[in-house]
Amino acid sequence: MFNSNALELKPWSPSKVIEAKSCPFRFNCSRSKTKVSSFPDDSAARVGTAIHEYLEILLNDPEKTKIPEVYYSIFSDNSLTHKEQIQFKLLKEAAEKSVSRIRRFQKSHNCSDSGVFVEEALAINSNFEPVHYFDNAHVMIRGKIDLAMHL
């Protein structure tokens, strides 16, 4: 059953729902105007975010990945430590292979680049109508689709 108190915490996203369900105390602390305490940074999350960013670049502009500054930018934007940079480099090859498989699939199904959507932002209001992603006054739930193809 829908609880109208949820409207006070909008906009909702799938990750926000998961956070609220997994640890209500942490969820309430993170949403509080008065910060109770900070939670430790998670190395795996930083490396995962960096790889996710790299995958976006590979999908949107693969030539950009040949520029060394792109790596330094990813490392600094995500505050990766030296150890995390090594972890990133170990995962980089797997990311590149994944994109190669995606491109082969795309080619074999005659899917043009205009039919590939990376980080597609979607948002709806409480009437299930599409609204602008950052329209906080009207958004009830929003999320991003990492990758979608129109075949």
Side-chain angles (χ1 to χ4, degrees), residues 16-29:
K16 192 173 184 179
V17 171
I18 290 168
E19 182 185 350
K21 285 179 73 175
S22 68
C23 184
F25 177 74
R26 179 177 179 169
F27 178 79
N28 289 327
C29 289

Side-chain angles (χ1 to χ4, degrees), residues 26-74:
R26 179 177 179 169
F27 178 79
N28 289 327
C29 289
S30 68
R31 300 295 181 266
S32 171
K33 292 188 188 329
T34 326
K35 294 294 178 191
V36 176
S37 67
S38 61
F39 295 94
D41 285 337
D42 183 32
S43 178
R46 280 194 303 277
V47 173
T49 300
I51 283 293
H52 191 107
E53 187 177 330
Y54 182 67
L55 280 164
E56 285 177 48
I57 294 169
L58 279 172
L59 288 163
N60 288 322
D61 190 0
E63 291 301 310
K64 225 175 166 181
T65 60
K66 296 175 183 170
I67 305 168
E69 289 77 21
V70 169
Y71 298 106
Y72 301 127
S73 172
I74 291 172

Side-chain angles (χ1 to χ4, degrees), residues 7 10-11 125-126 131-140 142:
L7 292 173
K10 72 178 191 170
N125 63 18
S126 57
V131 292
H132 189 271
Y133 189 78
F134 291 108
D135 182 1
N136 289 343
H138 298 102
V139 170
M140 181 60 195
R142 66 177 164 209

Side-chain angles (χ1 to χ4, degrees), residues 2 32 45 53 62 67 78 87 90 97-98 100 106 114 125 148:
F2 179 76
S32 171
E53 187 177 330
I67 305 168
N78 294 289
Q87 290 172 328
L90 292 171
K97 286 180 180 178
S98 294
S100 291
Q106 181 183 358
S114 64
N125 63 18

Side-chain angles (χ1 to χ4, degrees), residues 87-121:
Q87 290 172 328
F88 172 91
K89 288 174 183 173
L90 292 171
L91 294 169
K92 182 177 147 302
E93 186 179 335
E96 290 164 351
K97 286 180 180 178
S98 294
V99 170
S100 291
R101 286 192 300 273
I102 290 167
R103 293 295 183 213
R104 282 195 306 274
F105 177 87
Q106 181 183 358
K107 190 174 182 177
S108 70
H109 289 81
N110 296 320
C111 181
S112 70
D113 283 341
S114 64
V116 177
F117 305 96
V118 180
E119 287 297 307
E120 188 69 19

